[in-house]
Amino acid sequence: MVAQLKRGMTRDQVRFVLGSPLVVDLFRKDRWDYVYRYLPGSGQAEQRVISVYFVDDRLDRVEGDVQAASDSAPAAAVERSRVVEVPASADK
């Protein structure tokens, strides 16, 4: 689902792709946090966090325990905290 995000998307578009955020901070209105559990094919379930940041009510960046779909590195070798470059949308 994170791969469907594009820089410049509205809050409603992000909510449509990712669903309602689990945490919306009253002091940081430009950040939404999504907490989820990831269960690999074998191994223990892990709790992961994705933070979505907005500038002027448009998606700016995504941070957290995410890995781009094109990455081929095994999960154990990937850092837990990452910044994902969100491409600009074509309609902007």
Side-chain angles (χ1 to χ4, degrees):
M1 291 184 288
V2 174
Q4 296 176 18
L5 296 175
K6 304 285 184 217
R7 179 177 283 141
M9 292 175 85
T10 65
R11 290 177 186 261
D12 288 336
Q13 290 171 322
V14 172
R15 186 178 288 118
F16 179 78
V17 172
L18 296 179
S20 295
L22 180 64
V23 179
V24 177
D25 191 340
L26 294 174
F27 298 105
R28 289 185 255 163
K29 296 181 188 249
D30 291 333
R31 173 181 170 175
W32 290 353
D33 293 307
Y34 294 85
V35 179
Y36 66 98
R37 292 179 53 86
Y38 172 73
L39 181 60
S42 62
Q44 297 286 339
E46 302 172 1
Q47 179 173 311
R48 296 194 175 180
V49 177
I50 295 174
S51 298
V52 179
Y53 294 87
F54 297 92
V55 173
D56 297 327
D57 288 330
R58 297 288 183 158
L59 179 63
D60 183 56
R61 70 185 190 278
V62 178
E63 294 181 1
D65 303 333
V66 293
Q67 179 176 349
S70 62
D71 288 353
S72 59
V78 177
E79 291 181 30
R80 291 277 310 194
S81 182
R82 299 191 75 150
V83 175
V84 176
E85 188 66 32
V86 180
S89 64
D91 64 333
K92 191 171 182 190

